[in-house]
Every structure is written in C-alpha cells, then in structure tokens.
C-alpha cells in the first residue's frame, strides 16, 4: 500500500504534489557555474567547467563546443554502498542527461572548446536524474553559457493503480510505471523522455500531461534560485 | 549513433533534401513516413545457442543468442530467475565501430532493449526458480550487431524477442542436495511479447524505422515499446535535439498501430522456425 | 530612454519590431535573453549585459596575459579564456625575425605579464596578440587580481569614470584587462583600498546605485584618514 484510502502517499503528499525543493546557485568557488539542489531526499551537487580548452586535443570539434556530462552516485548515497566505478545505469543517464541539456545550449558559439557538467549524487532518492538536470541547467546559466532556455525536469508515474507526480524512492522501486520528462519551458520543447512500466494509452497521456504541467513549477524555482544569487532576490519573480 | 562518418556540409545538404521530400510525404529511399524497411527474421540461426534469431532490417543486421546458466539469485529477488540482455556493436558492423568495451551508445541500446523485455513481463522470471534463494535459471541474451544502417534499437529488440520465443533451455532439478541436468529441454515461460517501434524526428516530422542517413541528420530518436494488449511498456528519447510536446502522443499512436504489423512478422517467423 | 530589466536565459525580454543585439535571440518578433544579466531596451534594439561567463576574445580588446609557453616562433599566453593567446616573434622583432638569430626567452620569460591587444580572432583560429601600441607591453610591477570578465565594463564606468575614480581615490595605477585580469600598483595601503573597491564593484555590478556605494566607501576612508 503506497497510497492510503484518503489518497495520501507514504510521505504525506497528494497525487499531484511535488516534494520540497531547495536550490542554491554558485556554491562551488572553483567551478565556472554550480548549483546545489535538494529535491525530496535527493542531495545533488552540480559543477560546470567551461567553456575551456579540450583535453585530449583531438577530441575538439572545429565547429562547436564539446559537451560532456557525468552523472555519478557517491558510494554513500544509497542504502547499501554503491561501487564508485561508473555503472551501466550511470553511463546511460550521463548520456540522456547530456542530450536533455544540449538542445538548450548554443554550442556553435564556442568552437574548439569543451564544457564539462558534473552531476554528483550525494544522497539519492527517486527522481535523481530529473533533479540533476534541473540543477545542471541552472549551473550552466550560472557559468554564463549562451542558452536559449532553461531545462526543467520532473518524473511522473503510476503507483497503486493511480497516476502520480514526482515519485519518491519507494514509489520508484515498487510503482507500476515511471516516466521522467524534461522540457524547455519557454520554447515548449521536450528534451528528455524515458519510460518504463505498463500504461494504457489513456494513462500514458494523463501522466504525460501531468508532467508537462508540473514542470512549470520546477521552472519557477529555478528562476527564483538564479534571482536570489544574481539580483539578491530583491526583484519579484513573475 | 557514431556509426557513420559525419560531415557537417553533407549532413546539411542531406537534411535539406529530406525535408523537401518529407513535405511531399516521401523519404530518401522511396518509403513513406510510416513504412518499415523489409524485415526478415531467421529463427534458430545459431544451433549451439539455446535460442537464436538473425534479424535483417534493410541493411541493418543483428544476431541474438540465448545461453543459460544455473546460479544463485540476486539477494533482493530470491524468488526470481535472472535475465540479462547485452548488445554490442562489433567491429565488423561498420568502418567506424571500434573494438573495446561497449560505449555509451551500446549501453543505451542494451538497456532500452532490456527495459522493454523486462517491463512487459515477457519472461515470467518467477517460474525460473529451482530452489528459492539458492538456485535459479540465469538467462543471457547477447546481441551482436553485424551491420549498421540505422534503427539498431528495433532490430536488436526484435532479435532478442525472437530468440527468447525460440529458446529451448535445458531443464534442471534439485535432487540429493545438488542441481542436476535432466537431459530434457523446456521452452521459456513467456507471458507477453513486447514490440519496439522507433521513430526519428526531423524538424518535428516523424518517420518510422530511420535508416543510417536519416539518423545522421535527425533531431531526436524516439523508441516506444508496445505489449500484446496495446499498452506502452518502455520508451526513450535519444539524440541531442528536442521535439514539440504533442509529437510524443502522435508517436504513441504510431507505435501502437505499427506494432501490430511487426508482431505478425515475428509471430510468423517463430511459427516457421518451430515447424 | 533606455528601459532595464533583470533576466535569466529564456526570459522574454520584449515583443516588437526591435533589433536583437548581443546576448539575445529573436523568434518572430519576440526577443529572449541568452544569459543571466541586465537587459537594456532602447534605441531600436535590445541587448543583455551578462553577469557571468568566461571571457571570449574580441578583436581590439586589451587583455592582460601571462606567458605560459615559448616556441621558436611565438609566446603562448594564458589570457583567462577558453582560448590561449599567441604573440608571434615576428610581431615583436619585425619581419627580419629568424629563430637562429633570436632567443625568445631573452625578451619575455615564462611567467611574465603582458598587456596586449587582440589583433585577430575567429571561429577557426586562436587569438593572435600584439604589443605594439601606446601602453602595451610588459607589466613590471603590481598586484594581480582576477574578476569576472563580464564585470569589467562596470569597472571602467561611463567613459572611464569608475577607473579614474579608483585611481584618484587610492593614488594607484590600475591596469584593467578586458579579460578580467587586473594589475594594481602603488603604495600598499592604496593597493588594498583599490582592491576593496574593485571587489565591491564586482559583487554589486548589477545595481543601479553602484556609483553611490563606491563613493560612500571612499568617503568613509576620507573621514578615517582625516581623523589621524
């Protein structure tokens, strides 16, 4: 039983409620851009280095910047110790994360250089890739990379036969479906979509619409975090 | 996928040509947007494997083989057998595929294929237990990509699914404190058949079963896996572009329809293979 | 009349028949920001003054660079960017330069600081530097500090007003590279004060009342010094 008879989830949320989210921009002094995010029990640090010279040299692209992403879980981030070597899951997530961020960046503006995005999961909960993308996009803005839009991400899924927003750890593991989605909110374009589980077409549509709607709330938090650092939060975010 | 040599100028010209053709509902190889290339499934191609299938989709060619071992179950699932799907792009597959450990593309290919098989519940793993918590069947499906010309995701998935449908695995029993081979064989406990449908999005125009040239210029790849009841069971966007939100629901519609057609081809091939 | 607005990437700055200038992009008649910064709308165009980012060379910029490598034909300089700057031996010694006649490290050594101009730079080649021009060349003394290159325009101020204010208030010489590398020289007390002002400008670059804040800081020293 992950949802009780009153429709309340294990952590006290309703079906369409997000977990508490906290973001802080510019927390790492050495990085060109950085962002720390707490998303439910997720604690994630993102650092952006670049644009910078490419090593090894032969990897440089003559017409645009080389974007590299690494999603990595700290050994202590999970209940049982996680082997620090990158797993196949982490390699796949690193790839989809890069592909989720790339559409927002104008990489052609920085030929022959590289941008590295490091997403370090210090403590993991459900939805760490979405929280990671959300923080990484803000860290890229902090690094002052030319970008057309921010990228905001959230997962939806099915738990105890019901479509729910923002799956936590248990819901992620024991739920019937999980669908992480990332969009560029102003341009209204999908940059990440993954799905696992069983959904009818109608359920799929309902879940997807929920993701598209809810991601705007994440976007608002991203803007507030950037305003807080750059404009001392003194200007109201519309 | 980095399986084709890329040239910025050639890609730009090719993309322009493709968009001109797509405006008229045509593709560079003469297909319509929703046409698959010729799909051939040869069952039991590798006799030493417990199950196998050679899939040819246009010029893309992959072979999958099933092997079985008896092992200890994973500690968190003592009451379930083990299923492992692994795909590799061999150096024979293209001039630009390199030997070595699987790169991120091959890992994504393996994991998305695995996701469809696993989420659909295709193999009932609870029936692959010999002694709970001690001995279970471990089913390995390894896929070798032999030639690449786009849409490795569907070709790999069809090969895996066909090989699993075709597999006859040795039967083991637990007797006198040890696991023994009985000499008999049994089919795998199959409870669903997932069908993968992959599309390329080029400036928000969807085409199914993209070939290598189309993948070279696409904005995004979209794979959706549909089960026997027409439900969705796995999905993945790949590629460094984006797509309009409503395109995903259009893709779902296409996937549900196309999966019926592909399902027939695979079922037919398996039937012929068994006869 | 110029209208100002705080923006983050993807923010719609304005809709209308205006020219999308630096750090903005236009789709239809909507102009969006590419950066975190201060949008300025006026005189028929829209631009964003960014508040973060790495220094990207522009032809004509004057930068402070440090020699990090020497080959037979050029000095390689770290110019606080994702690109290295190159100063060719020919541009320093003239056309008659030959590697057999000159030793480059007799002129500038690794670790030397140079004030140089970006002579050429494009998408395909690294920036080429030149030290011919008034004030350009080796920097002999001073304390080096780095600020975000995007804040340099505020440090210069309107027609150089801010930098002149800093120099006159602290009796220091301030060499300001557009790449965010600054060299301050003078009496130790003055240098400390100059750095304090520079850090204040850097952290408050987005605020309209920046000038007032700087003057208040300087005035507070004036009172203290007068007490002595």
């Amino acid at each position: 039983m992950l949802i009780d008879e009153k429709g309340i989830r294990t952590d006290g949320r309703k079906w369409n409620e997000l977990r508490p989210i906290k973001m802080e921009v510019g927390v790492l002094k050495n990085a060109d851009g950085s962002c720390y995010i707490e998303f439910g029990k997720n604690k994630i640090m993102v650092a952006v280095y670049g644009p910078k010279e490419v090593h090894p040299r032969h990897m440089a692209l003559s017409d645009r910047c080389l974007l590299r992403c690494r999603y990595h879980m700290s050994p202590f981030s999970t209940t049982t110790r996680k082997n620090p070597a990158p797993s196949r899951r982490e390699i796949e997530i690193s790839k989809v994360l890069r592909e989720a961020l790339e559409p927002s960046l104008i990489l052609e503006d920085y030929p022959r250089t590289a941008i590295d995005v490091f997403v370090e999961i210090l403590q993991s909960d459900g939805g760490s890739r979405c929280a990671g993308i959300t923080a990484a996009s803000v860290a890229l803005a902090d690094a002052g990379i030319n970008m057309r839009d921010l990228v905001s991400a959230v997962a939806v899924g099915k738990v105890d036969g019901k479509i729910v927003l923002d799956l936590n750890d248990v819901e992620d593991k024991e739920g019937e479906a999980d669908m992480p989605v990332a969009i560029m909110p102003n341009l209204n374009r999908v940059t990440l979509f993954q799905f696992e589980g069983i959904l009818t077409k109608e359920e799929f549509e309902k879940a997807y619409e929920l993701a598209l709607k809810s991601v705007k709330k994440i976007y608002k938090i991203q803007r507030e975090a950037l305003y807080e650092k750059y404009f001392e939060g003194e200007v109201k975010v519309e | 996928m980095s399986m084709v040599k890329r040239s910025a100028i050639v890609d730009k010209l090719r993309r322009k040509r493709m968009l001109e053709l797509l405006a008229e509902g045509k593709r560079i190889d003469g297909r319509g947007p929703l046409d698959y290339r010729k799909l051939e499934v040869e069952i039991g191609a590798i006799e030493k494997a417990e199950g196998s299938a050679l899939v040819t989709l246009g010029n893309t060619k992959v072979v999958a083989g099933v092997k079985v071992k008896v092992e200890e179950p994973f500690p968190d699932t003592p009451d379930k057998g083990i299923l492992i799907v692994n795909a590799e792009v061999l150096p024979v597959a293209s001039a630009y595929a390199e030997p070595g450990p699987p790169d991120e593309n091959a890992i994504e290919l393996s994991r998305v294929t695995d996701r469809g098989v696993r989420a659909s519940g295709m193999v009932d793993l609870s029936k692959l237990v010999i002694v709970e918590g001690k001995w279970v069947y471990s089913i390995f499906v390894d896929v070798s990509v032999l030639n690449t010309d786009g849409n490795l995701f569907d070709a790999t998935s069809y090969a895996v699914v066909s090989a699993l449908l075709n597999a006859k695995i040795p039967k083991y029993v637990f007797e006198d404190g040890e696991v023994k081979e009985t000499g008999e064989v049994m089919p795998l406990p199959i409870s669903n058949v997932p069908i993968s449908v992959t599309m390329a999005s080029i400036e928000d125009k969807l085409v199914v079963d993209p070939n290598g040239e189309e993948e070279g210029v696409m904005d995004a790849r979209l794979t959706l896996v549909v089960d026997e009841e027409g439900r969705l069971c796995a999905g993945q966007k790949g590629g460094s572009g984006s797509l309009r939100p409503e395109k995903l629901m259009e893709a779902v519609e296409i996937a549900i329809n196309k999966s019926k057609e592909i399902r027939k081809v695979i079922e037919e091939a398996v039937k012929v293979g068994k006869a | 009349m110029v209208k100002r607005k705080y923006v983050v990437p993807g923010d719609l700055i304005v809709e209308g028949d205006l020219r999308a200038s630096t750090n903005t992009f236009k789709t239809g008649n909507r102009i969006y920001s590419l950066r975190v910064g201060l949008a300025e709308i006026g005189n028929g165009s829209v631009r964003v003054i960014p508040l973060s980012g790495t220094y990207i060379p522009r032809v004509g910029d004057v930068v402070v660079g440090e020699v990090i490598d020497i080959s037979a034909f050029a000095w390689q300089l770290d110019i606080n960017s994702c690109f290295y700057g190159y100063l060719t031996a020919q541009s320093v010694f003239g056309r008659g330069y030959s590697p057999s006649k000159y030793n480059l490290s007799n002129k500038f050594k690794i670790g030397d600081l140079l004030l140089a101009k970006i002579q050429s730079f494009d998408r395909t080649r690294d920036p080429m530097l030149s030290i011919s021009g008034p004030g350009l060349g080796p920097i002999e003394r001073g304390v080096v500090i780095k600020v975000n290159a995007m804040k340099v325009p505020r440090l210069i101020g309107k027609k150089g007003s801010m930098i002149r204010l800093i120099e006159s208030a602290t009796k220091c010489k301030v060499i300001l590279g557009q790449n965010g590398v600054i060299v301050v020289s003078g009496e130790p007390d003055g240098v400390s004060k100059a750095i304090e002002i520079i850090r204040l400008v850097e952290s408050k670059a987005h605020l309209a009342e920046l000038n007032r804040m700087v003057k208040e800081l300087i005035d507070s020293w004036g009172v203290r010094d007068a007490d002595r």
Side-chain angles (χ1 to χ4, degrees):
Chain A
M1 267 281 286
L2 296 171
I3 302 182
D4 72 12
E5 60 284 352
K6 286 182 192 134
I8 301 298
R9 295 153 70 178
T10 51
D11 51 13
R13 286 182 293 156
K14 293 201 272 292
W15 67 280
N16 60 352
E17 233 179 298
L18 290 167
R19 286 167 290 178
I21 304 167
K22 263 199 332 214
M23 292 179 87
E24 201 184 335
V25 184
V27 286
L28 297 177
K29 290 292 160 250
N30 283 346
D32 294 304
S34 60
C35 181
Y36 173 71
I37 189 169
E38 289 187 5
F39 197 122
K41 290 200 179 74
N42 283 303
K43 292 178 197 282
I44 302 169
M45 185 64 84
V46 180
V48 171
Y49 284 88
K52 58 177 201 178
E53 61 281 16
V54 185
H55 296 292
R57 239 10 224 241
H58 71 266
M59 283 181 74
L61 304 169
S62 59
D63 60 337
R64 64 204 175 93
C65 173
L66 177 70
L67 178 67
R68 294 182 289 212
C69 281
R70 179 179 121 123
Y71 166 99
H72 183 253
M73 294 176 86
S74 297
F76 46 77
S77 63
T78 46
T79 314
T80 47
R81 179 175 184 269
K82 196 233 148 237
N83 182 333
S87 66
R88 289 162 67 88
R89 174 182 171 275
E90 285 166 293
I91 292 168
E92 187 204 343
I93 294 180
S94 298
K95 179 177 189 283
V96 296
L97 221 126
R98 186 186 73 230
E99 292 171 340
L101 296 167
E102 198 168 331
S104 72
L105 303 172
I106 307 189
L107 296 177
E108 296 77 17
D109 285 354
Y110 312 98
R112 298 177 290 121
T113 65
I115 297 172
D116 282 321
V117 179
F118 299 109
V119 177
E120 186 67 30
I121 313 297
L122 302 172
Q123 180 168 282
S124 80
D125 194 357
S128 67
R129 79 193 66 183
C130 289
I133 289 168
T134 298
S137 182
V138 168
L140 283 160
D142 183 37
I145 315 280
N146 284 345
M147 54 203 283
R148 295 177 187 93
D149 206 345
L150 295 179
V151 180
S152 320
V154 76
V156 288
K158 186 179 173 188
V159 171
D160 279 357
K162 292 190 183 72
I163 300 299
V164 297
L165 176 65
D166 183 24
L167 281 66
N168 64 28
D169 228 350
V170 204
E171 292 171 338
D172 192 23
K173 285 199 180 75
E174 294 173 28
E176 294 120 77
D178 177 26
M179 185 198 298
V181 177
I183 69 159
M184 295 190 279
N186 291 299
L187 301 177
N188 192 30
R189 298 192 65 90
V190 176
T191 70
L192 171 119
F193 160 75
Q194 292 186 290
F195 169 60
E196 177 169 15
I198 297 266
L199 291 180
T200 64
K201 192 179 110 187
E202 292 68 32
E203 289 170 329
F204 186 99
E205 188 157 15
K206 189 183 172 196
Y208 181 55
E209 306 265 285
L210 178 64
L212 293 179
K213 200 176 103 199
S214 310
V215 101
K216 304 214 162 85
K217 295 179 192 161
I218 310 271
Y219 174 60
K220 190 164 169 277
I221 298 168
Q222 289 176 300
R223 290 194 62 196
E224 279 167 359
L226 283 168
Y227 267 73
E228 184 63 39
K229 163 156 183 211
Y230 283 97
F231 315 127
E232 298 180 5
E234 63 184 40
V235 182
K236 271 253 156 68
V237 177
E238 310 100 66
Chain B
M1 290 223 161
S2 56
M3 301 301 167
V4 218
K5 191 175 184 181
R6 305 291 302 273
S7 146
I9 294 160
V10 174
D11 281 355
K12 210 177 248 177
L13 293 172
R14 194 180 280 153
R15 187 178 159 104
K16 192 165 166 273
R17 173 87 187 121
M18 267 179 213
L19 287 167
E20 285 166 5
L21 284 169
L22 275 174
E24 301 165 24
K26 287 186 205 140
R27 291 163 74 173
I28 37 171
D29 56 6
R31 284 185 288 162
L34 302 183
D35 295 339
Y36 265 75
R37 291 169 291 178
K38 189 168 188 230
L39 168 64
E40 287 175 300
V41 182
E42 190 191 333
I43 297 291
I46 310 293
E47 291 94 350
K48 285 204 173 173
E50 268 79 73
S52 66
L54 175 69
V55 166
T56 309
L57 186 57
N59 292 324
T60 292
K61 201 182 269 295
V62 308
V63 60
V66 176
K67 296 303 289 180
V68 176
K69 260 193 341 199
V70 173
E71 284 185 310
E72 258 184 68
F74 291 127
D76 52 339
T77 51
D79 54 345
K80 284 197 169 84
I82 296 168
L83 177 69
I84 289 170
V85 176
N86 184 47
E88 279 188 45
V89 180
L90 302 184
V92 299
S94 114
Y96 308 99
E98 281 173 22
D103 67 359
E104 58 171 25
N105 295 310
I107 288 173
E108 184 190 23
L109 176 62
S110 299
R111 286 181 56 85
V112 172
T113 306
D114 179 271
R115 210 169 287 160
V117 172
R118 202 172 293 277
S120 67
M122 179 180 184
V123 181
D124 187 349
L125 297 176
S126 63
K127 291 189 179 141
L128 290 175
V129 179
I130 303 165
V131 180
E132 190 174 319
K134 270 248 177 270
W135 302 108
V136 298
Y137 292 94
S138 215
I139 316 291
F140 292 85
V141 193
D142 286 288
V143 183
S144 291
V145 176
L146 302 175
N147 199 65
T148 64
D149 185 19
N151 203 6
L152 295 185
F153 281 76
D154 285 352
T156 300
S157 181
Y158 303 158
V160 168
V161 165
S162 306
L164 285 169
L165 287 171
N166 162 248
K168 297 268 186 304
I169 65 165
K171 199 173 172 182
Y172 290 87
V173 286
F174 187 77
E175 265 176 18
D176 312 324
E178 57 178 330
V179 176
K180 288 180 189 158
E181 211 174 324
T182 58
E184 291 168 46
V185 292
M186 60 175 197
L188 285 168
I190 300 290
S191 57
N192 204 326
V193 177
I195 300 292
S196 164
V197 175
T198 294
M199 288 151 264
S201 172
I202 305 168
E203 282 192 10
D204 287 322
K205 292 186 176 66
L206 298 177
V207 298
V208 301
D209 180 31
N211 65 27
E213 284 188 336
E214 288 169 326
E215 283 189 351
V217 303
M218 70 183 174
D219 300 312
R221 186 197 67 239
L222 206 49
T223 298
L224 287 160
V225 186
V226 183
D227 78 356
E228 273 175 13
E229 281 83 48
R231 299 174 300 187
L232 286 307
C233 54
Q236 178 105 334
K237 174 240 165 197
S240 47
S242 61
L243 61 160
R244 278 219 312 272
E246 57 270 29
K247 286 288 141 182
L248 185 63
M249 286 317 297
E250 186 185 321
V252 165
E253 200 72 47
I254 293 171
I256 292 173
N257 285 327
K258 292 313 280 188
S259 69
K260 293 175 192 157
E261 181 186 316
I262 304 290
R263 188 177 300 283
K264 273 192 206 132
V265 178
I266 290 178
E267 278 171 359
E268 193 56 38
V270 172
K271 219 182 281 167
V272 172
K274 284 213 171 97
Chain C
M1 177 55 195
V2 176
K3 235 179 85 189
R4 289 195 177 78
K5 195 172 167 182
Y6 293 117
V7 287
V8 303
D11 277 6
L12 177 65
I13 305 170
V14 71
E15 254 181 285
D17 192 20
L18 292 158
R19 198 168 56 83
S21 184
T22 48
N23 303 311
T24 66
F25 74 103
K26 194 172 184 176
T27 54
N29 66 345
R30 296 154 80 89
I31 299 175
Y32 298 88
S33 176
L34 289 172
R35 300 282 280 273
V36 178
L38 208 50
E40 286 190 346
I41 309 146
N43 304 323
S45 77
V46 181
R47 66 166 181 164
V48 170
I49 302 162
L51 288 172
S52 68
T54 304
Y55 172 68
I56 305 291
R58 276 176 316 179
V59 173
D61 277 2
V62 172
V63 298
V64 177
E66 182 189 339
V67 178
I68 55 163
D69 201 5
I70 302 173
S71 72
F73 297 96
W75 291 271
Q76 186 183 20
L77 277 80
D78 175 356
I79 54 166
N80 194 32
S81 172
C82 44
F83 302 98
Y84 293 116
Y86 292 90
L87 178 66
T88 62
Q90 213 174 56
S91 78
V92 174
F93 295 116
R95 287 198 171 272
Y97 170 74
S98 140
S100 56
K101 276 189 275 179
Y102 297 87
N103 183 347
L104 265 58
S105 53
N106 288 343
K107 182 84 179 168
F108 304 127
K109 294 183 176 51
I110 288 177
D112 279 3
L113 283 182
L114 301 178
L115 188 65
K117 198 168 71 192
I118 310 277
Q119 185 82 2
S120 66
F121 172 65
D122 62 34
R123 294 177 57 82
T124 57
R125 265 164 308 183
D126 286 333
M128 289 301 181
L129 305 174
S130 159
I131 53 165
S132 46
L136 301 183
I139 300 168
E140 307 289 355
R141 65 181 69 81
V143 177
V144 179
I145 60 168
K146 278 187 187 177
V147 299
N148 187 293
M150 302 303 137
K151 313 272 169 84
V152 171
R154 293 309 297 263
L155 275 168
I156 296 171
K158 278 202 187 83
K159 298 193 176 87
S161 60
M162 183 66 81
I163 182 130
R164 276 202 305 276
L165 179 64
I166 299 172
E167 288 192 325
S168 68
T170 64
K171 311 261 181 314
C172 281
K173 187 169 159 20
V174 180
I175 298 171
L176 196 58
Q178 262 144 330
N179 58 337
V181 182
I182 302 169
V183 185
V184 187
S185 53
E187 294 299 321
D189 180 52
V191 170
S192 309
K193 283 177 176 163
I195 292 173
E196 199 176 335
I197 304 175
I198 290 165
R199 292 293 176 217
L200 174 73
V201 176
E202 189 190 16
S203 65
K204 307 287 179 193
H206 60 290
L207 298 177
E209 63 269 34
L210 181 65
N211 283 324
R212 184 180 55 77
M213 295 168 86
V214 171
K215 284 196 180 103
E216 274 174 15
L217 177 66
I218 293 169
D219 288 348
S220 73
W221 295 329
V223 174
R224 239 174 16 216
D225 289 348
D227 286 348
R228 267 186 223 147

